[in-house]
Amino acid sequence: MITLRGVTKRFGARAVLKGVDLDVARGEVLCLIGGSGSGKSTILRCINGLERHDAGTIHVDGTLVDDAGLPAIRRRVAMVFQRFNLFPHRTVLENVFEAPVHVHHEPLAQARARAIDLLARVDMADHADSLPGALSGGQQQRVGIARALALRPDAILFDEPTSALDPERVGEVLRVMRELAEEGMTMLIVTHEIDFARGVADKVAFVDQGVIAEQGKADDILTHPKAARTAQFLARVLHRG
C-alpha cells in the first residue's frame, strides 16, 4: 500500500532522512517509534507531500508521490495531526463535512449525514454544534479522526496523535484507533505509546537519526530487539518515571 525506497530529506545543512526504506501492506498497522527529532514525523509528511523529499521514491498503492500524483494521493490518504488542526471558527460538524464537500464534491446533505454518523462513532455527536475551542484535547482529536474518516481513506497517517493530550484523555483516542485497526484500516502511526504499539501494531519500525534502524513484527521488535539502539531506547522509555 505504501512503499518508500531510499528516501532522503534535508532541511538546510541538516539531513533528517538518510535513505529510508519502508513498506506498509494494505490493512496493516505499522507504528514508527524513536526519539524526538529522529525523522518519524518527516516520513509521514513526505508521504502526503507536506514536505517534498529530496531523493528516493514513495508510492501509495502504485501512485508515485510527486506533483502529478499528490492530488489523487491526498484524496485516498488522510492525516491526523498532533495539534488537531481543526478550523477554529467552524463547528465540529462543519469541520467533518468540509473536506468531502470541497475535495470529493459530495452533495452537502449526503456529506452532512455521514459526518453526523462519524461523530456518533467517535462519541462526539452531542458536540456537533460546538466550536473546537469548547472541547478538551481528547475530544478535538476524536473530531480529527472523524474528519479523516470522512474522506473514506484507504490509509490514515497518525502523527503522534496523543502527545498533546492530558494523560487522562489518551485512552479515549487510543480506543478509537484500536477499533479502526480491528476493522482493517491501513495505518501508519508515529507514537510514543509503546503499550499501544504492542497491542495494536502488526509491525514496528524504530527510527534513529534519520534511518530505520530495525523493523519487524511488533512483538519481536518490542520484546526481543536485535539492534542495540532499539534496546536502549525501549529500556529508557519503558522504565522512565
Side-chain angles (χ1 to χ4, degrees), residues 165-211:
L165 304 181
D166 293 332
E168 63 267 24
R169 301 296 182 185
V170 169
E172 62 194 48
V173 173
L174 295 184
R175 176 188 58 79
V176 175
M177 294 172 67
R178 284 191 180 92
E179 291 173 358
L180 292 175
E182 291 168 359
E183 293 168 9
M185 174 62 72
T186 305
M187 298 193 288
L188 181 55
I189 306 168
V190 172
T191 184
H192 292 292
E193 300 288 340
I194 301 300
D195 287 339
F196 170 75
R198 191 189 307 276
V200 172
D202 299 295
K203 294 196 307 190
V204 167
F206 173 62
V207 187
D208 184 44
Q209 298 182 29
V211 299

Side-chain angles (χ1 to χ4, degrees), residues 36-110:
S36 298
S38 60
K40 305 183 301 298
S41 295
T42 303
I43 291 172
L44 298 193
R45 295 175 68 84
C46 286
I47 291 170
N48 71 358
L50 291 176
E51 300 287 354
R52 187 187 297 267
H53 56 290
D54 298 318
T57 59
I58 304 174
H59 288 85
V60 176
D61 204 19
T63 300
L64 183 67
V65 176
D66 60 9
D67 290 341
L70 270 178
I73 288 168
R74 285 177 174 164
R75 286 192 293 270
R76 300 172 61 194
V77 178
M79 187 156 179
V80 175
F81 296 89
Q82 178 180 354
R83 294 287 177 179
F84 323 131
N85 285 19
L86 301 177
F87 297 114
H89 301 300
R90 294 188 181 276
T91 67
V92 162
L93 184 62
E94 290 168 340
N95 266 278
V96 176
F97 70 63
E98 173 112 346
V101 170
H102 294 287
V103 176
H104 287 181
H105 307 294
E106 286 187 25
L108 176 59
Q110 176 182 316

Side-chain angles (χ1 to χ4, degrees), residues 131-142:
L131 292 175
L135 307 179
S136 70
Q139 290 172 325
Q140 290 188 61
Q141 194 61 291
R142 282 186 280 153

